[in-house]
Amino acid sequence: MLDEIPVADPAAGNPEVIQSPKPVSRFRLVLSRLRSTPRFWVGIIGLGTIVLWAIFGLAPNAWNASDLDTFNMGSSPTALHWFGTSDIGEDIYAQTIVGLRKSLIIGLLVGPLAAIIAGVVGAVAGYVGGWWDKAIVWVIDLLLVLPSLFLFILLSPIFKSLSWVALIFLLAGFGWMIMARVIRAQTKSLRERDFIKAARFMGVDTWTIIRRHVLPNVSSLLIIDATLGVGGAILSETTLSFFGFGIQAPDVSLGTLLASGQSAAATRPWLFVFPAAILVFTVLSASLVGDALRDAVDPTSGVNRE
């Protein structure tokens, strides 16, 4: 609602009402920027379509991922098998949906989990300071220098005996360092603000200040990081599974489908093209949403940067 300020009008002899707008909240400002950003709508519609297809896509299909059609082994796409079949008669459409589900679950869990780790670690390093800060920065620098793919390869024998859920924690454990540095720098700036000093003066303990004052003020950065991290996590899982260090048989993911189909990409392209197209579309949609959200939250960005 708008404030009404009466102002006398000498000509009319009656006061007029001038309406002064109240300040727009940050949430509404971000929402307004997102609404006027075409790539946000392209990304959110694409990502929503992919998620709905992963949930309900098997309903109209007559085949499950484990079914074998021995009469149509290695067949091209037909009305019976929409994406064709593998060398042993597996329905590629059903396997693509099951693999997409696994990759989406990993991406949607790894992105937020890595953002949470980055937020907590960065806030503690920036606010507490001292030897805590030095130790955390040393760990961050060490993990940034180490080649993560090489470490995944070294640790893969251990994780092969575990559930694919262990891959979620492994990917999240190597995906938080850069954002933690950003949160640390923001926290160092926030700790000198008046409301933080007032909380310290009133005797509020460190963890309460971090939870109630620091993390809410950097939450926009964490939301952006989590959104962008979804696409990155899906791509990382696919890469590891493609080289045999991620999802292991009998589980199926987009990476395992690409690995099994890449040798026949030229002779039977349906084994490779359909999973690859779904992967590109999913990662691109998630990246568009994250990119639009970053520009909307960034105070230096315009309403529309197209």
Side-chain angles (χ1 to χ4, degrees):
M1 189 173 178
L2 301 176
D3 296 332
E4 296 183 349
I5 305 174
V7 177
D9 185 358
N14 295 321
E16 290 183 352
V17 174
I18 299 178
Q19 296 178 334
S20 62
K22 291 182 178 179
V24 180
S25 67
R26 182 173 178 80
F27 174 77
R28 294 193 176 210
L29 179 60
V30 171
L31 191 60
S32 174
R33 289 178 174 179
L34 288 176
R35 286 175 178 172
S36 61
T37 306
R39 66 178 177 278
F40 169 75
W41 292 108
V42 173
I44 199 69
I45 291 173
L47 193 59
T49 302
I50 282 292
V51 171
L52 291 176
W53 186 54
I55 296 174
F56 303 107
L58 280 179
N61 191 46
W63 302 89
N64 292 320
S66 58
D67 294 340
L68 299 179
D69 186 357
T70 55
F71 297 100
N72 295 282
M73 294 186 295
S75 67
S76 59
T78 62
L80 183 62
H81 298 283
W82 300 341
F83 286 4
T85 61
S86 67
D87 293 338
I88 60 175
E90 298 166 320
D91 185 74
I92 301 301
Y93 176 85
Q95 289 224 324
T96 300
I97 291 181
V98 173
L100 176 62
R101 288 176 180 174
K102 188 66 62 63
S103 297
L104 279 176
I105 291 173
I106 292 175
L108 292 173
L109 290 177
V110 169
L113 181 58
I116 291 173
I117 296 174
V120 173
V121 173
V124 170
Y127 183 80
V128 177
W131 68 269
W132 275 96
D133 185 29
K134 294 180 181 178
I136 290 174
V137 169
W138 183 84
V139 172
I140 292 175
D141 292 340
L142 177 63
L143 292 177
L144 286 174
V145 170
L146 292 176
S148 57
L149 181 60
F150 181 70
L151 290 177
F152 290 149
I153 294 174
L154 290 178
L155 295 174
S156 61
I158 300 175
F159 287 93
K160 281 183 179 180
S161 60
L162 303 176
S163 168
W164 59 269
V165 177
L167 184 62
I168 295 175
F169 296 98
L170 182 63
L171 291 174
F174 285 92
W176 56 271
M177 292 83 71
I178 295 177
M179 181 51 60
R181 273 190 163 276
V182 176
I183 299 301
R184 171 179 171 269
Q186 291 291 323
T187 304
K188 282 182 173 293
S189 175
L190 285 172
R191 65 177 296 178
E192 303 303 325
R193 301 282 293 273
D194 291 339
F195 65 95
I196 298 288
K197 291 181 177 179
R200 286 202 302 265
F201 180 77
M202 290 168 31
V204 181
D205 63 272
T206 298
W207 297 108
T208 302
I209 292 177
I210 291 176
R211 187 179 72 252
R212 292 183 180 179
H213 301 293
V214 175
L215 290 178
N217 278 279
V218 298
S219 59
S220 58
L221 294 173
L222 297 177
I223 292 172
I224 295 170
D225 182 60
T227 306
L228 291 172
V230 171
I234 293 175
L235 201 57
S236 297
E237 177 276 320
T238 303
T239 302
L240 290 173
S241 299
F242 180 84
F243 289 109
F245 303 113
I247 301 297
Q248 303 293 322
D251 288 331
V252 179
S253 74
L254 293 179
T256 60
L257 292 176
L258 291 175
S260 61
Q262 59 92 20
S263 60
T267 57
R268 285 162 294 170
W270 60 87
L271 297 176
F272 183 83
V273 170
F274 289 115
I278 297 303
L279 172 65
V280 171
F281 186 79
T282 303
V283 174
L284 180 61
S285 298
S287 298
L288 286 174
V289 173
D291 187 60
L293 184 60
R294 178 187 59 196
D295 287 350
V297 172
D298 183 6
T300 64
S301 65
V303 174
N304 192 345
R305 299 180 62 177
E306 310 304 323

